[in-house]
Amino acid sequence: MRNFLVVLEFILALGLMVVVLMQPSKADGLKGFITGGSETFFSKNKSRTKEAVLSRLTVITAILLALNILALNIVK
């Protein structure tokens, strides 16, 4: 059981790193200042964008990693 949890932790940690690195940068530079932050199609439908999916996936992976760490400490 312990070996399974250790392998799962390794996979979850790698998955979390990949998901975090896939997220786009939040720094717009002068783009938001010049355009005035106008509303676009993507800002109206933000829950369906790639950024929102990656954000949700990051939270889910982080929660699973935390639960796996707790399980490893209990099995110890």
Side-chain angles (χ1 to χ4, degrees):
M1 180 69 172
R2 181 166 166 73
N3 290 337
F4 172 73
L5 290 175
V6 169
V7 170
L8 183 63
E9 182 168 354
F10 181 72
I11 293 169
L12 286 172
L14 283 177
L16 184 61
M17 285 187 267
V18 168
V19 171
V20 167
L21 290 174
M22 286 178 58
Q23 291 183 2
S25 174
K26 299 283 185 184
D28 285 338
L30 290 176
K31 179 181 171 186
F33 180 70
I34 293 171
T35 60
S38 62
E39 269 191 40
T40 63
F41 174 76
F42 292 111
S43 66
K44 291 179 183 177
N45 297 318
K46 195 165 186 153
S47 65
R48 298 180 185 166
T49 62
K50 176 184 166 188
E51 182 180 333
V53 171
L54 286 174
S55 178
R56 268 189 249 122
L57 196 57
T58 301
V59 171
I60 291 169
T61 308
I63 290 171
L64 289 174
L65 184 65
L67 291 174
N68 190 39
I69 291 170
L70 290 174
L72 269 171
N73 283 325
I74 291 172
V75 171
K76 192 178 189 183

